Amino acid sequence: MPSHTEENYLKTIYKLAEAEPGQDVSTNRIAAALTTRAASVTDMLRRLAEKELLRYEKYRGVQLTPEGRRLALLTVRKHRLWEVFLVQQLGFNWDEVHEVAEELEHVQSPLLMQRLDEFLDFPTFDPHGDPIPAEDGAVRRPTHRLLADLEVGDRGTLAAVKDTSAPFPQYLDKVGLALGVQLKVLDKVSFDNSLELRVNRERTVLISAEVGRNLFVT
Amino acid sequence: MPSHTEENYLKTIYKLAEAEPGQDVSTNRIAAALTTRAASVTDMLRRLAEKELLRYEKYRGVQLTPEGRRLALLTVRKHRLWEVFLVQQLGFNWDEVHEVAEELEHVQSPLLMQRLDEFLDFPTFDPHGDPIPAEDGAVRRPTHRLLADLEVGDRGTLAAVKDTSAPFPQYLDKVGLALGVQLKVLDKVSFDNSLELRVNRERTVLISAEVGRNLFVT
DNA sequence: AAAAAATGCCCAGCCACACCGAGGAAAATT
DNA sequence: AATTTTCCTCGGTGTGGCTGGGCATTTTTT
Ligand SMILES: [Mn+2]
Ligand SMILES: [Mn+2]
Ligand SMILES: [Mn+2]
Ligand SMILES: [Mn+2]
């Protein structure tokens, strides 16, 4: 059984590797992501390599083994299934669930997750629009595009959010954006790439390029 | 935040104190309940006393402080609420839930437990018939009587089980007993106090005095 | 009251986990 | 080749939890 901390490391490494498939996952990036020091990371990497959960060539970054990848995906799966439960069943807001899921994801019980999955009717995306890995580790690559990449006249449905730290979802609420709304790009201001959007054919919203780079549409 | 182990100790001490209100909770009883050694218990008792979660007079046993009691009851509450969830919502058998609840009880989120409580419609007893402490720590004393204490001719409804370790509930299933069945004592064999019961006015079951001492009826 | 038995404390130590600063080695950049 | 950046190594800290063996205390027996 991996410890909570080990699972958190594996998950973080998986996500960093995923985010930029080319680059190798470096000690400092992991340290930054987990707000700890490089020395602590090196330490943990040695232990995880010892347990064969990753390959660690010094100065060369790190790569999950199949088993390490399996554990990382399992943790992500649990995290996201719990998030769905919290939002759909317990009425949490989508910006309140992360912390709690961060704890629930460490509960060890395959049967529990199987039953929860069934109870939720086998969801494939979490409340933030992120895909829920299947039990066998398969991840449905969402067909999302960055909102910032759309051209004037393009339409789409808001499907996922990149930055899920609390302030951002709150900002979205405030400007009247939520997952599932229909969007059409009315204008793209050339000098700063900010976007003028029609929302649900009703309202108009202006967002910065920065925001556009944190939203996905289908 | 108390650690998992600390919470388990507090819970165990609370239950031992509850079980026999007169006697003091001794080091060895705690050690036995947690399958660890007396020396380890002494160690933990010192630490819990340090944190003011219990009073510890050496050679004199141990007593929870109000704060320690609060934490113990909170843990019991969480444990039992999760058990209700597992059985009622996820379709677990009542003899499968204990292990998982033993982990879930350590998740720290008052909001979560509040929402879960509401979601379950404020249950007051868990699937084993044990009372769920209220948020303020109030415990409804169940009006149960020991099945073994009934007289010939008495009737009741099976309401709770004392020994919830796996084999016992499985035995109950096998002989056709479950929480909620109607019972009538047909006969009480005087030489070994075994009981002949009518179940739901249909079947007849013979149980030992030992079993009778592990079942509660209302 | 004394002796014997049971109980429980104390000590010293062990191990796992997680973290860190400082300094020097390696790699990337110029 | 020199400089800057990255990151590994080393030694060390603190916490949490567990243990065996010896001794102290309490309880029971006589
Ligand atoms: Mn976590
Ligand atoms: Mn999420
Ligand atoms: Mn527990
Ligand atoms: Mn129970």
Side-chain angles (χ1 to χ4, degrees), chain A residues 83 126 128 130:
Chain A
E83 284 187 344
D126 85 357
H128 308 103
D130 294 313

Side-chain angles (χ1 to χ4, degrees), chain A residues 26-28 42 56 58-59:
Chain A
S26 75
T27 303
N28 273 343
T42 307
Y56 177 39
K58 45 188 189 176
Y59 297 103

Side-chain angles (χ1 to χ4, degrees), chain B residues 26-28 56 58:
Chain B
S26 74
T27 302
N28 273 341
Y56 177 37
K58 46 187 189 178

Side-chain angles (χ1 to χ4, degrees), chain A residues 113-184:
Chain A
M113 293 326 289
Q114 201 184 292
R115 296 279 169 90
L116 184 63
D117 192 24
E118 188 182 344
F119 180 70
L120 298 172
D121 207 16
F122 310 105
T124 53
F125 292 91
D126 85 357
H128 308 103
D130 294 313
I132 298 173
E135 245 183 314
D136 64 6
V139 184
R140 300 155 204 71
R141 248 334 296 150
T143 55
H144 303 159
R145 299 171 57 198
L146 270 187
L147 176 52
D149 294 340
L150 296 195
E151 301 301 329
V152 173
D154 286 355
R155 295 157 184 283
T157 304
L158 192 56
V161 175
K162 202 172 195 175
D163 174 2
T164 56
S165 61
F168 191 61
Q170 277 164 23
Y171 161 80
L172 293 181
D173 266 10
K174 199 161 141 190
V175 300
L177 290 176
L179 293 191
V181 298
Q182 302 292 321
L183 297 178
K184 180 181 177 188

Side-chain angles (χ1 to χ4, degrees), chain B:
Chain B
M1 289 292 101
S3 70
H4 289 200
T5 313
E6 284 172 336
E7 288 188 343
N8 287 337
Y9 268 87
L10 290 174
K11 207 178 61 171
T12 300
I13 292 164
Y14 170 77
K15 285 186 177 175
L16 289 174
E18 202 73 347
E20 269 124 301
Q23 288 164 290
D24 46 348
V25 179
S26 74
T27 302
N28 273 341
R29 282 173 68 209
I30 299 171
L34 291 169
T35 49
T36 183
R37 302 316 178 93
S40 313
V41 174
T42 307
D43 202 34
M44 179 62 91
L45 293 185
R46 263 200 325 93
R47 280 180 352 242
L48 292 174
E50 183 65 32
K51 298 186 181 183
E52 309 241 87
L53 297 174
L54 46 81
R55 310 259 173 247
Y56 177 37
E57 240 182 305
K58 46 187 189 178
Y59 296 105
R60 272 292 150 74
V62 97
Q63 220 185 335
L64 295 178
T65 61
E67 178 62 8
R69 190 187 153 80
R70 194 184 68 77
L71 281 175
L73 280 166
L74 177 60
T75 308
V76 171
R77 172 178 165 78
K78 289 190 285 182
H79 185 106
R80 294 184 180 162
L81 279 176
W82 280 116
E83 284 188 343
V84 172
F85 171 70
L86 294 173
V87 168
Q88 287 188 2
Q89 306 293 325
L90 296 196
F92 278 66
N93 293 325
W94 66 319
D95 55 334
E96 294 173 326
V97 296
H98 192 75
E99 299 275 290
V100 184
E102 202 58 46
E103 279 195 67
L104 285 164
E105 72 189 356
H106 302 293
V107 173
Q108 304 285 355
S109 168
L111 179 59
L112 171 60
M113 294 325 289
Q114 201 184 292
R115 296 278 169 93
L116 184 64
D117 193 23
E118 187 181 345
F119 180 70
L120 298 171
D121 206 17
F122 310 105
T124 53
F125 291 92
D126 84 357
H128 308 104
D130 294 313
I132 297 173
E135 246 183 315
D136 65 6
V139 184
R140 301 155 204 69
R141 252 329 299 147
T143 55
H144 304 156
R145 299 172 56 198
L146 269 187
L147 176 54
D149 293 341
L150 296 195
E151 300 302 328
V152 174
D154 285 355
R155 296 155 183 284
T157 304
L158 192 57
V161 175
K162 202 172 196 174
D163 174 2
T164 57
S165 61
F168 191 61
Q170 277 164 23
Y171 161 80
L172 293 181
D173 265 11
K174 198 161 142 191
V175 300
L177 291 177
L179 293 192
V181 299
Q182 301 293 322
L183 297 178
K184 180 180 176 189
V185 179
L186 297 182
D187 195 15
K188 206 163 176 177
V189 181
S190 59
F191 97 98
D192 70 347
N193 279 316
S194 65
L195 295 168
E196 194 184 352
L197 304 172
R198 168 120 303 184
V199 180
N200 284 338
R201 296 158 196 235
E202 294 163 354
R203 290 163 294 117
T204 299
V205 169
L206 196 68
I207 64 168
S208 69
E210 174 66 15
V211 171
R213 262 178 265 112
N214 275 287
L215 294 175
F216 293 100
V217 296
T218 49

Side-chain angles (χ1 to χ4, degrees), chain A residues 4-5 7-8 11 75 79 99 101-106:
Chain A
H4 289 200
T5 313
E7 287 188 343
N8 287 337
K11 207 179 59 170
T75 308
H79 185 105
E99 299 275 289
E102 202 58 47
E103 278 196 68
L104 285 164
E105 72 188 357
H106 303 293

